[in-house]
């Protein structure tokens, strides 16, 4: 076994690898860019080597710099994590040349699977189910119809140079195929100057389900079941789970066996993932193979008890797999939610800045993968596990240079429903402040009926949130629970206010029992009957909710029991109430005496300021360039300026025709959210 | 007998109706509450004791003798805020437009006299059309009497003004002399001369809102200390402020039970100051992480944002905070920030509120506009205020403390009681680059030499240890333990006593 390994990565995955290495008694070397000088992975590793400036193309993905670090540290092996150099065969080659082990597959496997066409060919040869289609060029419409019939409808007619939906048609009948072929061809010719067309099976109700494989250098290969990753936003996975709620044992085995066959066809040795697209009838088709550790690997670990990083290290050290296919079980259910530094209320734009608060939920070991990562057999009844893979810490900085994913929160429980419930509570207890993040969106997904039923496709987010995410509206029952909690909390805080020094003896303020709670546009009149253990909140229709909690004024997280069920609230004080966040809802809750509420109702609703004549900066970033000048007339959709944030250039466009009256920012300026960039007449 | 009692009830009922239901409805229609409704929201439920309900004016000119409504346009009395006594007057716009007559003013003067005698704050709610013109000089005399009492009460009891409607002409000078002015957005304005007069005299066309609305006074003129969305929010926030303030200059600031461990460590503060000395960071994060329960009551938050002023509690006790804000103008001192902070420091010193100063100051803002407008005298206000303040003074230097601004910001030399520095502190005459260019003027053309000199200077002075060697810094502390260290520092100063030479009063450079 190795004495020392280098992790050619950053963030949560570097930390993840370090944890296992440490458990195995292996020393670790981290590499870091200028932006990561104080990062968690640097802190956790035994050694850390600086490899350059912040942009990844000047540090983390520069093979020479990483190789220098390898040499300087004397590491015997390198774990590449995911992304960066993980699927770069040149890097594997460079390591090989130095006699340093690559904790990943052989370079031949990387190369073979790295190319879409080659990998599909190899898959076909290995009898792996691929999307049926005709790769050759199609002469005319009649040939297109013939081929479509061979493949079976529906089919997708695609321009080979295509992209962005251009030159793409779906056909369900001969007529549609004929027509689709012609229009695709015309569109392809005009859009790309290349009218070559091909046809493949159109997969309906597609789900993204992938198989985890593990192979050693001795010809052994196993599959560790599947992961369902259908909840995606623009091909970026957001929620994953294992097992899939959709697969049956036969399909699972068929997919698993084909995945292993494919891996072995390319002499694969390490952990790898074979991605499939699965249609509504459980037909599955090979998509591609990822020759690395996958981001969502923890869910597999949680249901199988196998530490994949440990297995990768052992395989790289030449060990034989100690697990056979029979050993691989599915124990319970695991769900992963990816926490992104992306603001769901602003179209998921990246958000950067200082994490002024970062308090993940308490990690709890349960199920097959206990804290020591060893298989422990059956979990005790009712136990749920919480695991948070993270690369950040409170007071750390989310920079614009890297992936906006900052943590992977996983829960495990014996059943899917329990795992989802554990995730809801974990999300509610996860405190992240200082940056925009998708926690409320994740909460919303966890409560979505389609997700709960397991009936989802890769189009879930696009279909269910077509206009983006505006936060969750709580239903009547949840609203009452929050109202009861807020009233009980507010009363406690008001009583504390009356205990101030300097008050008039015998003329103290008496805090009353009757309150009106307003939230989400509704008002609840309640009476609070408090005793030492808690408060009984009675609504005006006679319904009662008992509220108990150890919350004290000033706590930013309230863990309550309301009506016998737990409720976790994020609490911020506002005038006469609280801002409460729970289950994806973000509520301004006011608690007032009946008289105060009566007077508050007289106050006019204020209209938000009209910003339609302003161009506001949608994210913190730097102005790269301005495309217009003051006095210029602009058309709807015309580029106005470019803002760079999170290594992305975002072009801001005119929403409507108008004339620029003033420009308040210049190239190179750093802007905050809602800074006014320009004004229109 | 019963008839007599009934008559009292009837008279009371009439008085409580102010200008009548129609005018009350009109007041509500403008998004404003009535004088009595405001008092209800300001005070603890059922605690209001009213005086002078039946006062009526004595004017007989211009037919005024025909309308002599009870109360004469102002409701006065006392009550409690969380059980602590306050005096209050609330002008009633529904009664003769809340205009100030001799008797109206007398009512205000009466409760101000009581407040002074009994040691309780005065809260004035302003909603008045101005002087009652029919009374002429009698009305002006009334204003004058109020002014004089504002002056006498200054530094004796806290005075708070809440502008909840018009406040124009001479009327503005009463709030102007109180300790805090709050306004309500869209429904209040203050100016000495209104838009019409402005147009006649200077040809400027300006709306009442632009001339004297809440935005103008919180952002531009700094006349107001904060603005709130509506009457309800404003009064709730005044209650919150009163919770921080002592009742008078003879009693201690209030203490209330707290649930926040004074020994709480905040590891994230260790990374608050960025690596790059020119990068900003938000000083508010330090304030809220130090404060009990993260509760910061900011004063003048919209004005001179390069300095922060406001109240927090440590161990349940009120502390006034003054802090440079590196997010704005690098946290420098200039005319506006010096004035803002000086007034705040003096308020705290008046009322025995200990002062916490958080320092990250690169110096005074250079430029002709600063010099021409008297930055010398305005900057001196803050220096003077700190130097004369005898309340417990604790200072934490987080990063830059350069030049004269270092001295100003509650340095040891101005009798700062305990001066701490973070390890990231740089206490020097100026930044390394500037200093090097002066000391090594001869090498100016040699970039390499200059860079090496700058590095030497930085190594020598870009730290808190030179100052610590001299005892100008009492201790270098870990950022994460700032709350604990500062709370203990103030605890050690609870019985602080100092003597000052006798004087009638000082002559602060106004």
């Amino acid at each position: 076994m190795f004495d020392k390994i280098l992790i050619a990565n950053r963030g949560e995955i570097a930390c993840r690898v370090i944890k296992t290495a440490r458990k195995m008694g292996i020393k670790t070397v981290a590499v870091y860019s200028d932006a990561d000088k104080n990062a968690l992975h640097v802190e956790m590793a035994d050694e850390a080597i600086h490899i350059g400036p912040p942009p990844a193309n000047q540090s983390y993905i520069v093979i020479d710099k990483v190789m220098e670090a390898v040499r300087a540290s004397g590491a015997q092996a390198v774990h590449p994590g995911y992304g960066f150099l993980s699927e770069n065969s040149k890097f594997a080659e460079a390591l090989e040349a130095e006699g340093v082990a690559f904790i990943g597959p052989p370079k031949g496997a990387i190369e073979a699977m790295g190319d879409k066409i080659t990998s599909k060919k190899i898959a076909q040869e290995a009898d792996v189910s691929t999307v049926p289609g005709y790769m050759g060029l199609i002469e005319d419409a009649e040939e297109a119809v013939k081929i479509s019939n061979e493949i079976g409808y529906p089919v997708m007619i695609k321009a080979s140079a295509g992209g962005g939906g251009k030159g793409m048609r779906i056909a369900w009948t001969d007529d549609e195929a004929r027509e689709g072929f012609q229009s695709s061809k015309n569109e392809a010719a005009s859009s790309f100057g290349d009218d070559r067309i091909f046809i493949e099976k159109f997969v309906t109700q597609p789900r993204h389900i992938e198989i985890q494989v593990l192979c050693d250098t001795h010809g052994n290969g196993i599959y560790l079941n599947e992961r369902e990753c259908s909840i995606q936003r623009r091909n970026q996975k957001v929620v994953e789970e294992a097992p899939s709620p959709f697969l049956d044992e036969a399909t699972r085995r068929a997919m698993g066996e084909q995945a292993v066959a494919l891996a072995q066809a390319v002499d694969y040795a390490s952990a790898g993932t074979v991605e499939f697209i699965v249609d509504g009838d459980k037909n599955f088709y090979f998509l591609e193979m990822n020759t690395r550790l996958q981001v969502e690997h923890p869910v597999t670990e949680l249901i199988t008890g196998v530490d994949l990083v440990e297995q990768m290290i052992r395989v790289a050290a030449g060990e034989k797999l100690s697990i056979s296919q029979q050993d691989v079980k599915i124990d319970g259910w695991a769900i992963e939610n990816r926490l992104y530094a992306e603001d769901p209320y602003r179209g998921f734009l990246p958000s950067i800045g200082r994490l002024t608060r970062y308090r993940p939920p308490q990690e709890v070991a349960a199920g097959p993968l206990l804290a020591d990562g060893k298989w422990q057999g059956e979990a005790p009844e009712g136990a749920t596990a919480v695991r948070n893979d993270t690369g950040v810490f409170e007071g750390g900085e989310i920079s614009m240079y890297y992936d906006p994913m900052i943590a992977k929160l996983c829960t495990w429980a014996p059943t899917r429903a329990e795992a989802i419930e554990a995730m809801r509570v974990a999300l509610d207890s996860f405190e992240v402040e200082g940056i925009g993040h998708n926690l409320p969106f994740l909460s919303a997904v966890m409560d979505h009926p389609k997700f709960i039923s397991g009936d989802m496709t890769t189009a879930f987010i696009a279909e269910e949130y077509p206009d983006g995410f505006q936060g969750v509206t709580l239903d009547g029952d949840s609203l009452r629970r929050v109202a009861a909690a807020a009233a009980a909390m507010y009363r406690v805080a008001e009583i504390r206010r009356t205990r101030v020094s300097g008050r008039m003896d015998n003329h103290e303020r008496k805090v009353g029992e009757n309150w009106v709670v307003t939230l989400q546009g509704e008002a609840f009149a309640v009476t609070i009957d408090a005793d030492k253990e808690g408060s009984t909140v009675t609504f005006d229709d006679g319904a009662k909710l008992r509220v108990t909690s150890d919350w004290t004024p000033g706590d930013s997280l309230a863990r309550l029991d309301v009506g016998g069920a737990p409720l976790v609230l994020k609490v911020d004080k506002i005038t006469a109430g609280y801002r409460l966040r729970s289950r994806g809802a973000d509520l301004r809750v006011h608690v007032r005496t009946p008289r105060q509420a009566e007077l508050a109702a007289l106050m006019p609703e204020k209209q938000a300021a009209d910003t339609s004549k302003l161009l506001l900066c949608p994210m913190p970033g730097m102005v790269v360039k301005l495309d217009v000048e003051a006095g210029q007339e602009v058309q709807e959709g015309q580029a106005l300026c470019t803002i760079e944030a999170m290594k992305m250039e975002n072009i801001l466009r005119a929403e409507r025709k108008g004339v620029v009256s003033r420009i308040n920012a210049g190239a190179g300026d750093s802007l905050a959210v809602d800074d006014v960039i320009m004004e229109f007449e | 007998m019963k008839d007599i009692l009934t008559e009292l009830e009837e008279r009371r009922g009439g008085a409580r109706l102010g200008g009548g239901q129609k005018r009350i409805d009109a007041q509500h229609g403008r998004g404003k509450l009535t004088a009595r409704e405001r008092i209800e929201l300001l005070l603890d439920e059922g605690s209001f004791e009213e005086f002078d309900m039946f006062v009526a004016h004595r004017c007989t000119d211009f037919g005024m003798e025909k309308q002599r409504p009870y109360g004469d346009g102002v409701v006065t009395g006392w009550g409690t805020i969380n059980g602590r006594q306050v005096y209050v007057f609330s002008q009633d716009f529904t009664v003769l437009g809340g205009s100030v007559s001799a008797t109206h003013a007398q009512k205000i003067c009466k409760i101000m006299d009581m407040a002074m005698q009994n040691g309780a704050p005065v809260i004035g709610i302003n909603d008045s059309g101005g002087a009652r013109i029919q009374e002429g000089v009698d009305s002006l005399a009334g204003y004058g009497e109020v002014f004089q009492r504002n002056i006498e009460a200054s530094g004796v009891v806290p005075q708070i003004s809440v502008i909840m409607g018009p406040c124009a002409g001479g009327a503005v000078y009463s709030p102007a002399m109180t300790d805090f002015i709050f306004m309500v957005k869209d429904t209040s304005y203050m100016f000495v001369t209104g838009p019409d007069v402005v147009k006649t005299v200077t040809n400027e066309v300006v709306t009442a809102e632009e001339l004297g609305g809440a935005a103008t006074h919180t952002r531009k003129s700094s006349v107001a200390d904060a603005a709130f969305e509506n009457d309800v929010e404003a009064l709730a926030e005044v209650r919150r402020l009163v919770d921080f303030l002592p009742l008078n200059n003879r009693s201690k600031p209030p203490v209330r039970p707290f649930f926040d461990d004074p020994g709480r460590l905040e590891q994230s503060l260790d990374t608050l100051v960025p690596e790059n000395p020119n990068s900003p960071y938000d000083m508010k994060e330090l304030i809220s992480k130090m404060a009990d329960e993260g509760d910061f009551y900011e004063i003048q938050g919209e004005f001179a944002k390069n300095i922060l002023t406001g109240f927090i509690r440590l161990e349940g006790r009120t502390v006034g905070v003054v802090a440079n804000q590196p997010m704005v103008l690098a946290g420098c001192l200039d005319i506006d920030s010096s004035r803002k902070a000086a007034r705040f420091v003096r308020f705290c010193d008046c009322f025995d509120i200990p002062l916490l100063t958080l320092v990250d100051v690169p110096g005074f803002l250079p430029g002709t506009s600063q010099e021409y407008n008297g930055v010398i005298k305005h900057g001196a206000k803050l220096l003077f205020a700190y130097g004369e303040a005898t309340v417990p003074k604790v200072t934490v230097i987080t990063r830059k403390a350069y030049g004269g601004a270092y001295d100003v910001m509650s340095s040891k030399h101005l009798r700062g009681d305990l001066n701490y520095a973070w390890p990231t502190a740089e206490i020097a005459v100026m930044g390394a680059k500037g200093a090097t260019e002066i000391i090594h003027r001869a090498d100016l053309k040699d970039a390499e030499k200059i860079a090496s000199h700058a590095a030497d200077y930085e190594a020598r002075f870009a730290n808190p240890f030179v100052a610590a060697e001299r005892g100008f810094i009492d201790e270098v502390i870990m950022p994460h333990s700032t709350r604990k260290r500062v709370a203990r520092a103030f605890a050690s100063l609870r019985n602080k006593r100092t003597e000052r030479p006798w004087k009638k009063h000082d002559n602060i450079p106004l």
Side-chain angles (χ1 to χ4, degrees), chain B residues 346-367:
Chain B
R346 280 169 64 88
F347 174 81
C348 290
D349 192 48
C350 281
F351 291 104
D352 218 8
I353 297 172
L355 276 165
L356 168 64
T357 306
L358 305 174
V359 185
D360 186 348
V361 64
F364 277 93
L365 182 66

Side-chain angles (χ1 to χ4, degrees), chain A residues 127-253:
Chain A
D127 281 334
V128 174
S129 167
T130 55
V131 179
Y134 183 75
M135 308 281 265
L137 297 183
I138 298 158
E139 282 305 311
D140 56 30
E142 288 320 306
E143 196 186 347
V145 170
K146 194 173 133 245
I147 292 164
S148 300
N149 276 298
E150 281 165 20
I151 295 168
Y153 288 107
V155 296
M156 187 162 11
I157 302 165
K158 270 182 174 169
S160 60
K166 277 222 170 86
M168 205 161 92
R169 291 287 184 284
I170 292 156
W172 298 75
T173 63
D174 286 357
D175 281 350
E176 285 177 10
R178 207 169 282 126
E179 222 172 87
F181 173 79
Q182 209 49 57
S183 50
S184 285
K185 201 174 165 73
N186 296 345
E187 216 170 278
S190 63
S191 299
F192 316 113
D194 173 355
D195 65 355
R196 289 175 304 158
I197 297 293
F198 69 95
I199 299 179
E200 65 178 28
K201 177 91 181 166
F202 175 66
V203 179
T204 54
Q205 295 168 277
R207 301 173 76 114
H208 177 120
I209 299 176
E210 59 191 29
I211 299 287
Q212 176 70 52
V213 296
L214 183 61
C215 303
D216 64 16
T217 50
H218 305 275
N220 303 306
I222 58 171
Y223 61 91
L224 293 116
N225 304 312
E226 77 282 6
R227 290 185 289 261
E228 162 113 34
C229 317
S230 297
I231 311 278
Q232 312 181 344
R233 203 183 66 81
R234 296 186 186 158
N235 295 320
Q236 184 194 59
K237 294 169 187 168
V238 180
V239 175
E240 299 101 334
E241 60 185 301
S244 160
F246 187 60
L247 291 196
D248 52 49
E249 189 49 44
T251 316
R252 174 176 297 123
R253 185 177 316 125

